[in-house]
Each structure stands twice: as structure tokens, then as C-alpha cells.
Amino acid sequence: MTPVFPMLTVLSMFYYMCLRRRARTATRGEMNSRRAIESNTRALPINVEIVQYAKEVLDFSSHYGSENSMSYTMWNLAGIPNVYPSSGDFTQTAVFRTYGTWWDRCPSARLPFKRTPSTFCSQDYVELAFEEPVYPTAVHILETYHPGAVVRILACSANPYSQNPPAEVRWEILWSEAPTKVNGPQARQFTPCIKQINFPTNLIRLEVNSSLLDYYTELDAVVLHGVKERPVLSLKTSMIDMNDLDEDEDEEKFACGMDTLNKQFSIVTLREWPTNGYFDKLPYELIQLILSHLTVPDLCRLAQTCKLLYQHCCDPLQYIHLSLQPYWARINDTSLEYLQSRCTLIQWLNLSWTGNRGAISVSGFSRFLKVCGSELVRLELSCGHFLNETCLEVITEMCPNLQELNLSSCDKIPPQAFNHIAKVGSLKRLILYRTKVEQTALLSILNFCSELQHLSLGSCVMIEDYDLIASMMGAKCKKLRSLDLWRCKNITESGIAELASGCQLLEELDLGWCPTLQSSTGCFTNLARKLPNLQKLFLTANRSVCDTDIEELAANCTHLRQLDILGTRMVSPASLRKLLESCKDLSLLDVSFCSQIDNRVVLELNANFPNVFIKKSFTQ
């Protein structure tokens, strides 16, 4: 009789593997609608659960508020709730800069990078520090307006309050999901079922995607539940659901691929095969086309299969456009070193969000650009906190063909460093949102970069005289098509007049939260008459916008697609009807908090102009 003990051993091992996989897997969605294994397991030993609100906001990619205020800023996520469980638009919440797809439909929209993995959809992030490192058991996110933007929650092994930084920083995904449409803007407590991790953490990162939202999402607080001792799942569990076994497949492929990127890019020896199958019969160009659809980690794995595919996967033509942003948590100096020989022809490079907490050094970044910068046309470095003056100097010296530079939220770059950008006379797009650029450096940039077409100066608080800046733009930047002056505090009708006279190709202008502009000076009328090509105009929170301004826009700016006049008290329904009848391409009209535009008027306008999204925000 055949002994059954070997079979039992195999089954026991399989059972153990299933349990292990299940313990590591975070099921998708909210707690009350998921197959939660907690109902059938028990954590041993039993620990007292620690519940804590965020102590501090460490980093973020954008926010709606001002750098010198608390209203609508990410800093509102620290501490206990200010608003929850109330619903509505409240200044005490954390709000990101954009929502919906409107920013992708305006003249300043940038082309997306190909090869972005489908599992990466994050647009913004915020990092929160908590007092006590714990093994997380739950994360509660208090959303008070238009919920549903959070798509990923991560935990970090580094303690931001430790005096001794770790040699290696690990990020682990606790939960992730594709963007979902939530019915209604009402407040909710979002509690996804998170994955168990093997290290304590007091640094949590939320990543969001607001593309499906009808308005800005507002977050009030984040609550971290956890225990001091690592939980161990008992073996007392119910039947394993086989569908759970592949829930972490994408994450494991991601980790494997990036480890390959760091360790296996340089393959010394490959197994000898007599032939390469049918690939030998395919034209080189056809194989290159096929491989162009693979992500970077997939290329790394495929390079290990045979010499022919290794040659194709390492061809610099595969790296003409390269986005490393989806892999920000694993990119370091070693990654850049292995990529150097393959990126000698690179034209588009996205290093946004990468390199923080010492992952990329100034010397490592400089070495990479010295080898790979000569053909660069587009360089994305958003939230690159490792950047300093040396880095900007290297960029300007090693990238003579650079046309697009994104330094959004690179708030660690010292003011004097921005002078180097003036050396890149070929620049057509420059994004300096939330940077410390000063007036002298910006004047030099405008003087020497006359090819500029897109310029973002939103929330640049260190510029003293925006009228002088606007005057220089009008004199030197004749090709300017989009300009972001969001929350510039001191531009007046004089600067607007210089700008409108000199930059008549402008199609997009953001003057949101610019308190020194007054309609009574005729500045908005002048804009409408001088800039007939306007497609997007944001006059957010300017209470002086009146019927005359709206009627001038209707008469002169018939190509208008997006208009934000949130907060005005002087615009009547009659002038809005004229605008909607004249501007046939209008798709977004924000009349939130416009005192003369009530819900009845919005319903009427929606009925008569169904192709226009008319937004009316509220507070309860």
C-alpha cells in the first residue's frame, strides 16, 4: 500500500503557503464589503491597539491653499478632525490642486508618458508622520467632500523622528485600487482592508487620483490603528478562497521587476541556446515595436531569457521616453547607474517623486545626466527634494536641447539656484509651482528664454513685484500660450495691461486668488478685448468680477472652454446666459459661492445648456 505521508506533507506545505499568501494580501475595497479574514483569525499575542491621528504633514505634491495660510492646505490633515462628520466645502480641510479631467483638456496639458503600468494611476500624494511606530491594523481616512480619490496607501520603514536614519528605506503598499466613482459628495469614513506588514511604521503615504471626481476632494484627518508587537495569524482559519492567491500578483511583479532593474540589468553570461526560436526570423524593427509595449520591469525580466532579447531590451531606442515615476519607491543611484548605457538617446525622462530620503544623491544624478542628458528634450522632476543648485547647474550644462522642465513642488532648491535656468534658451515649458524662485532669477529667465510657451508660477511666494514680472513677459515672451499666476499676491491692473498687450497668443490664464485685481479698474475687460484666443480663464475667488466682465468675454472670447468665477457677488444669471449662448465650446463653468446664482438658476442653465458642466459648491 502506498504511504500517504508524502502526500499529506505536500498538502500541508500547500496549505501553509496559502495561509502565508493570504496573510500578506490586502483585499480590495471597504471593510464592510470585503472577504475579511479577520473574522476567522486571531492575532497572537493579543496587543493593546494604539489609535493615533497624524502628528505632522511631512510632504505633499500640491494643495489648493496658500503657502502662508491654513485654508485648504495639506497641513490641515495633522491632528484631530476639524469638520467630520459634516459634509461640504470647508476651508479647514486638505484639498489638492486639481480634480476631474479639466486640466488634461487645456492648452497647458502635457502628453502622457507611454509604458506607464496600468496599476499606477496616482496623481498626487501626501505623507503623514505619527507619534508611535506600530504594526498597522487599520487606516481610517475621513473624507468630507467628494470622496473616492484615494487610490493607494503605503507605509514606510523609516522613522521620521529617529536620530539615526536607516541604511535602507522600504515602502510597502498597504492597499491599492483603481479610481472609483462614488455616488454623492457626502462625507464618509473610508476604511479599506489593509495588508499586514513585517515592520512597524509611523510614516503613512496617501496617493490620490481625482480624475473621476466632479469637484475637489476634501480630507479632514487620517487615523492609524496599530499594535506595538507584530501580529501572528493563527492556523485557525476557514477555507482558502483561491481567488485570493493572485491579488498581490501585480505588486509582486512590480517588486521583482525593480529588483531586476537594480541587480540584473548587467548580465555577464546567458545560457547558450542553439536558436532563438522564431524570433530569428522576425525583422529587428518588428521585435523593437513589440517590446515597446512592455513596462520597464518587464523589459528587465525579458532581458534574462536569451541573448537576442537581451540585445533588444538593452537597445537605447527602447528608452527614448522613460518614466520612472511609477517606481519612485525603488529608484536609487544604482538604478540610474545600470540605466546609463541604455539611455544615451533618451529624450523624455520622468524622475518625479523619486530620490527622496537619500535614495538619489547629487553625484548619482549628475553622473546620469552627464552620460544621458545631451538629447533630453523633456525633464520631469516634480517633488524631487534631492535637487540643489549643483543639480540645476548640471541640467543647464548637460542638456543643451532641453525644452520642458518641471520643478513643481521642489521646495528645497535654494533661491539663487534658479539663475542657472536662464542658460537654457531653448525652453518652451517651465513649471515652477511651489518653488522658492525669486524675482531676480525669474527676470533673468524671462529675458533669455524668449521661446517660452507655457509658464507656471503658481504659489511662488518669494516674488516681490508681479507687475514687473508681467511687464517682462509682455516684452520678451511673445509666444506665451499658457500662464499660471495662481495665488500671486501683488499683481495689479498695470501688470495685466502689459501682459495682455505683449502676450496676445495667450490661450490659458489662471488668476485665481489674486486679491489685488479689481474689476473696477477695467483689467478684466482689457483681458477680454486683448486676448481673443482665450480657452481657459480662472478668476477664482475674485469677488469683484461683474456682469460687464462676463459680457466682454461673451463678445470677444468665443473660444472659451473653461471659466472659473467662484466667489463673485456681482454676476447675474442674465450675463451667464449671454456667455453660454456665445461660447459654444464652453465645457466648464464654476459658479460656486456666487451669491446671485442659486440652485434654481443652475438647474435652469443645465437644462438649456446640457453640454456645459456647471458647478455649484455648497457648505452644510
Side-chain angles (χ1 to χ4, degrees):
M1 181 176 179
T2 305
V4 296
F5 297 106
M7 180 61 68
L8 289 175
T9 303
V10 171
L11 290 174
S12 299
M13 292 177 62
F14 175 71
Y15 185 65
Y16 172 73
M17 291 170 61
C18 290
L19 284 176
R20 229 179 131 199
R21 172 67 67 88
R22 186 153 185 159
R24 290 188 297 110
T25 299
T27 53
R28 308 301 186 192
E30 296 190 46
M31 184 76 75
N32 58 9
S33 63
R34 299 302 182 211
R35 303 181 306 273
I37 65 171
E38 285 83 350
S39 62
N40 296 306
T41 61
R42 182 182 173 194
L44 298 174
I46 298 175
N47 291 316
V48 175
E49 189 173 58
I50 298 173
V51 179
Q52 48 187 334
Y53 291 95
K55 178 182 179 180
E56 185 181 357
V57 176
L58 298 180
D59 189 23
F60 54 90
S61 55
S62 77
H63 60 183
Y64 186 89
S66 167
E67 301 303 295
N68 301 319
S69 170
M70 288 296 291
S71 297
Y72 296 124
T73 63
M74 287 298 118
W75 299 303
N76 285 319
L77 277 176
I80 63 174
N82 298 308
V83 175
Y84 187 84
S86 297
S87 297
D89 191 340
F90 290 89
T91 61
Q92 301 96 322
T93 57
V95 185
F96 291 98
R97 175 76 193 274
T98 64
Y99 73 93
T101 58
W102 307 110
W103 277 258
D104 296 326
R105 302 190 211 171
C106 54
S108 63
R110 288 165 286 169
L111 293 174
F113 276 78
K114 298 179 180 179
R115 280 187 161 149
T116 301
S118 59
T119 53
F120 181 80
C121 56
S122 304
Q123 297 174 332
D124 277 294
Y125 73 85
V126 58
E127 293 181 359
L128 306 168
F130 295 80
E131 183 70 36
E132 295 287 337
V134 295
Y135 291 91
T137 56
V139 177
H140 301 316
I141 304 170
L142 307 184
E143 303 172 280
T144 55
Y145 199 38
H146 289 279
V150 178
V151 294
R152 203 154 70 148
I153 305 173
L154 302 98
C156 185
S157 62
N159 184 341
Y161 302 121
S162 173
Q163 299 298 319
N164 302 312
E168 179 185 5
V169 176
R170 289 177 55 198
W171 284 94
E172 193 76 29
I173 298 175
L174 299 180
W175 171 87
S176 66
E177 190 175 77
T180 55
K181 179 77 170 180
V182 176
N183 294 325
Q186 287 74 26
R188 72 169 184 177
Q189 175 180 292
F190 180 53
T191 308
C193 184
I194 63 173
K195 182 177 72 175
Q196 190 179 99
I197 58 176
N198 61 5
F199 59 83
T201 183
N202 62 338
L203 175 52
I204 296 294
R205 174 176 170 127
L206 307 182
E207 294 185 355
V208 304
N209 181 310
S210 303
S211 62
L212 299 182
L213 301 187
D214 292 332
Y215 207 56
Y216 299 96
T217 190
E218 299 191 8
L219 309 179
D220 193 13
V222 177
V223 191
L224 175 62
H225 292 238
V227 292
K228 297 294 288 185
E229 298 294 330
R230 181 180 176 184
V232 179
L233 288 177
S234 75
L235 293 179
K236 189 186 295 183
T237 186
S238 62
M239 184 181 298
I240 298 295
D241 187 335
M242 297 302 292
N243 291 327
D244 283 347
L245 296 182
D246 59 0
E247 285 183 354
D248 254 2
E249 182 180 353
D250 290 338
E251 183 182 334
E252 290 179 357
K253 287 172 63 179
F254 166 83
C256 174
M258 293 317 297
D259 286 341
T260 300
L261 175 64
N262 290 337
K263 298 175 183 178
Q264 302 293 335
F265 237 131
S266 294
I267 300 176
V268 179
T269 60
L270 286 167
R271 182 176 177 182
E272 292 289 345
W273 294 93
T275 68
N276 292 304
Y278 289 105
F279 278 101
D280 280 330
K281 302 182 183 298
L282 295 178
Y284 192 92
E285 295 80 4
L286 181 56
I287 299 177
Q288 286 286 292
L289 178 62
I290 294 172
L291 299 191
S292 69
H293 295 279
L294 297 181
T295 63
V296 176
D298 289 338
L299 276 179
C300 299
R301 283 191 291 270
L302 188 62
Q304 300 175 74
T305 57
C306 68
K307 287 187 176 181
L308 175 66
L309 291 180
Y310 173 78
Q311 178 185 1
H312 280 280
C313 292
C314 297
D315 192 319
L317 291 175
Q318 288 290 338
Y319 302 87
I320 298 294
H321 294 178
L322 177 63
S323 176
L324 296 177
Q325 182 180 5
Y327 321 108
W328 61 266
R330 297 175 183 268
I331 297 300
N332 53 32
D333 282 349
T334 305
S335 311
L336 296 183
E337 181 180 352
Y338 282 133
L339 283 167
Q340 278 185 19
S341 62
R342 294 149 183 89
C343 293
T344 53
L345 301 178
I346 191 169
Q347 297 178 7
W348 287 15
L349 176 62
N350 186 0
L351 286 174
S352 294
W353 301 6
T354 65
N356 298 332
R357 295 183 174 83
I360 295 179
S361 65
V362 172
S363 58
F365 176 77
S366 301
R367 284 194 303 270
F368 183 81
L369 279 196
K370 287 176 181 178
V371 175
C372 309
S374 61
E375 301 296 324
L376 265 183
V377 175
R378 176 180 175 182
L379 182 56
E380 304 280 341
L381 295 170
S382 174
C383 304
H385 300 313
F386 66 91
L387 295 170
N388 62 9
E389 182 170 6
T390 300
C391 294
L392 288 196
E393 187 174 8
V394 169
I395 290 171
T396 57
E397 291 177 357
M398 298 295 119
C399 308
N401 299 307
L402 197 62
Q403 297 181 11
E404 300 187 21
L405 179 60
N406 180 4
L407 298 175
S408 172
S409 291
C410 293
D411 52 1
K412 303 295 191 294
I413 301 176
Q416 70 275 6
F418 292 93
N419 284 294
H420 294 288
I421 299 177
K423 303 172 188 175
V424 190
S426 57
L427 273 182
K428 295 183 179 180
R429 183 190 302 270
L430 179 60
I431 302 177
L432 298 176
Y433 168 72
R434 290 191 65 238
T435 62
K436 295 177 180 177
V437 62
E438 287 184 331
Q439 186 164 300
T440 302
L442 185 55
L443 287 172
S444 179
I445 292 170
L446 296 174
N447 186 45
F448 290 103
C449 300
S450 57
E451 297 297 312
L452 275 174
Q453 297 180 18
H454 305 282
L455 178 62
S456 174
L457 300 175
S459 294
C460 291
V461 298
M462 300 189 71
I463 298 174
E464 301 168 355
D465 187 353
Y466 268 99
D467 281 346
L468 182 58
I469 298 298
S471 177
M472 179 65 80
M473 290 181 200
K476 296 291 185 176
C477 302
K478 303 292 186 180
K479 299 179 181 180
L480 206 60
R481 293 180 53 214
S482 73
L483 176 61
D484 179 9
L485 295 178
W486 174 264
R487 292 189 180 275
C488 74
K489 295 296 184 182
N490 51 43
I491 192 168
T492 68
E493 65 277 4
S494 175
I496 292 296
E498 296 279 355
L499 183 67
S501 297
C503 302
Q504 296 190 2
L505 297 180
L506 270 174
E507 299 172 355
E508 177 181 343
L509 181 59
D510 194 334
L511 296 172
W513 296 89
C514 296
T516 49
L517 293 176
Q518 294 297 315
S519 174
S520 58
T521 63
C523 58
F524 301 135
T525 298
N526 190 31
L527 275 179
R529 293 174 179 174
K530 294 287 183 63
L531 304 177
N533 297 315
L534 272 181
Q535 297 180 28
K536 173 182 175 180
L537 178 62
F538 274 27
L539 302 175
T540 316
N542 193 304
R543 298 180 183 276
S544 69
V545 177
C546 62
D547 283 345
T548 302
D549 303 318
I550 300 301
E551 290 169 3
E552 287 289 344
L553 288 172
N556 298 287
C557 302
T558 55
H559 301 295
L560 199 62
R561 296 175 180 269
Q562 300 179 31
L563 178 64
D564 186 343
I565 53 172
L566 175 149
T568 181
R569 301 172 177 175
M570 313 293 290
V571 172
S572 68
S575 64
L576 288 184
R577 290 189 190 96
K578 291 181 181 179
L579 179 76
L580 292 165
E581 290 169 355
S582 177
C583 299
K584 303 297 185 182
D585 296 328
L586 196 66
S587 56
L588 171 65
L589 177 61
D590 194 336
V591 292
S592 300
F593 302 108
C594 294
S595 55
Q596 294 191 46
I597 313 299
D598 56 25
N599 288 332
R600 179 187 57 81
V601 173
V602 172
L603 289 174
E604 176 195 334
L605 293 176
N606 274 326
N608 293 327
F609 303 95
N611 295 328
V612 183
F613 179 76
I614 303 175
K615 180 58 188 174
K616 177 71 174 177
S617 186
F618 73 95
T619 301
Q620 289 184 348

